[in-house]
Amino acid sequence: MSDLWLGWPTQLTIFAVALAVGIMVDRSTSNRASAVASALGVLVLTQALAFVPLDTLFFDGDLGRTIRGATNDFVRFLVVNYGDFFDAISEPVLRTLVTLERTLRDAPVPLVLFAVGALAYLASRRLAMAAGMVVALYFIGTLGLWEQAMQTVSIMLVSVGISIILGIPVGVLNARSNTARKIINPVLDLMQTIPSFVYLIPALMLFGLGNVSAVLATVIYATPPLIRLTDLGIRYVDAEVVEASRAFGATRRQMLTGVQIPLALPSIMQGINQTVMMALAMVVIGSMIGARGVGQTVLIGLQRNDAGQGLIGGIAIVMLAIVFDRISQAAGARAQKHRQVAH
Amino acid sequence: MSLIEVKNVTKIFGPNPKAALQRYRDGLSKEELLAETGHTLGLADVSLSIGKGQIFVIMGLSGSGKSTLIRHFNRLIDPTDGQILVDGDDVIKMSIRQLERFRRTKMSMVFQRFGLMPHRTVLQNVAYGLKVRGVGRAEREAKAMEWIERVGLSGYDGQYPTQLSGGMQQRVGLARALATDAEILLMDEAFSALDPLIRSQMQDQLIELQSELGKTIVFITHDLDEALRIGDQIAILKDGRLSQVGTPPEILLNPADDYVTEFVRDVNRARVLTVETVMRPPKTRLTGADIDKALGEMRRTNADWGYVVEDGRYLGVATQESLAAAVSANDGRNLYEVAEDGPTVSAADALEAALPAALETDYPLPVVDKEGLLMGVVSGREMSSALTPPKVASAAAAEPGGSAGRAGGAAPASTAGKTAATAESPAAAHRETAKLDG
């Protein structure tokens, strides 16, 4: 490694990072004192790390190797000491996944087609749309990918379910507390921008190869829009309506369940729709870490240099996307009714 | 007895209101406070006393702090300093739970843009206050139904707010506020978003409801005509400070400062002021049937007109001439028969209604009550002087007057005058020179 990356430039870089963090905090809080404090915090933290006997010291070693070593040590530490804990997390997810997958695969195909048609009709109240969804799904079967599609659907449903369970409460929290929002928003940015493989590597070590890691990757990638849109939806609920409920003595809970969430529902539904779409985008990546389903079809096409197989896998994914999107959009549109404040 | 007692409530908006409060107490003005500390003075030492069963109107232009003030009553906004007592209970000291209970039972509120919940039907909206309180579905919906009928929305209970007009939506808002049986009704510019015709209908309905139910109503408006029409008491707020509190005639006849004067100038006074406010006792009451005695009385008091009264009941007017003629005719008629019938007005009549009659007669009009008893008299001149808006001491006139007064304190007035003269003379001299040069 060239000397260019070692010594005092490293220190300077750390200082610049500290400054950048300070400026970021300053922008979000418009509070000089806390900005300076965070900058100092970063500096002190890095200096303190430098004294911890890791593989290399900052001062004459290189920063990249330090981080790498520390991360690997940490993951190994987790695997060794908290393996049971991670098993305990993955176990119920896996069980749900397996049950769902088995149910979908064992169910007679006409029943599944009928169920999807019924769901589409309930969401849209339009027969034509229901019929269209049934046709799209049947088409996947004609491609010979029915079983794979059912596997993908079950991973999707579980991932989206977890995203909803996590995303809506966090979105509510963000809407209510500016502090929470300031902390969580950068995390969401990170979740959406950091390449999936970066967190898939430790995830594989912790959860093993297969569906659970795929679910985790999907949840990390697909939850942020739901959080953001829940937050936005609740913040944009007409202030006078919320004030009215307060004036009538509603508790915070009554306000949330009776006014804020119902009125934010169109936005929340939009968030769920986004989550579903982003979850589908993760199907192929999921297959790379051992998740089964349509993604695997595409992956095999890639590995065997079989463009045709890649295409039919792609078509199946698009068909699934259409079905999921139309149904959730229609449900969202129906939620929109009577939600706008009249003046 | 006062139901709501507001004592020295001050509200300062900004990141550190307590520190800013100290600066304000040290004598900083609203503008200085904003310039030096970045804090906005919302309310400045407002004290009010609102009686039970009153319609109390708080009036002011936008930015005067009226909406801030009304939100202090149910503590939608916390004051920076001061005390609010409702029925003797200190609202500021209440815990969250106590406050929620207080809002559910004691005070309800009507909003400018209605604040209806768009995802609930009219029935569910009206029942909302009861639902929050935990009243069962059947009971609360029955009660809500009653109020929907009461405000004239029968048949609309299943509709959503978006399907109704503005006036109807505000009726829903009113019904929702009334359905909780709260003793106090806060109305924040409740009718301001409605068009004039609907607005006056709603005002009528409010006055009607209030007289039936005897609620205490705190009503916010920026419209003086509305304030005068519905208010028993009016408080005028300017820049967070109370300018004046009084009954409508008090405000109209004795505006406390230039701001209020400016405000009341454009009001149709003839419609707001009643005969009662300008009525005075009759100069000459003629009682008993004896004409000679009556004539003597009139001559003694040197009155041209006398008001003939029997058992306090007004019978008519008599002049010295008519009495003298009756005496000389000596036809045996008594005073009651001689009295001439004429127009009368009642104390509650607006001046608008009384004025034409006053212009027709050349004596002050008798004011009689429902039983026909003579209450007083009112002359056309008095009416017209009450109708003349008070003059604003204009800013231009007031300023030099003020400074002259101050200057006068420092030096004798003559000196001040001389200084002014000498100050002027060089210019005059200069003009002279200029003329000569030209």
Side-chain angles (χ1 to χ4, degrees), chain B residues 13 90 110 112 156 161 283 342 424:
Chain B
F13 295 101
D90 192 340
V110 183
Q112 179 173 12
Y156 287 96
K283 199 169 166 192
E424 200 185 9

Side-chain angles (χ1 to χ4, degrees), chain A residues 112-147:
Chain A
V112 175
L113 289 176
F114 176 78
V116 168
L119 202 63
Y121 179 74
L122 281 178
S124 68
R125 303 291 151 121
R126 278 165 50 212
L127 269 175
M129 144 108 182
M133 294 305 102
V134 171
V135 170
L137 208 58
Y138 182 78
F139 184 54
I140 296 174
T142 61
L143 295 175
L145 293 174
W146 182 261
E147 283 204 3

Side-chain angles (χ1 to χ4, degrees), chain A residues 197 283-291 293-306 309-311 313-314 317:
Chain A
F197 290 117
V283 163
V284 177
I285 290 178
S287 71
M288 287 182 178
I289 50 169
V294 208
Q296 215 176 15
T297 312
V298 179
L299 191 66
I300 292 168
L302 184 70
Q303 286 162 347
R304 295 184 186 159
N305 210 0
D306 184 345
Q309 175 149 13
L311 183 65
I317 292 174

Side-chain angles (χ1 to χ4, degrees), chain B residues 164-181:
Chain B
L164 306 182
S165 69
M168 287 158 97
Q169 289 191 47
Q170 195 55 301
R171 279 170 211 268
V172 177
L174 191 60
R176 176 175 67 175
L178 291 168
T180 63
D181 276 332

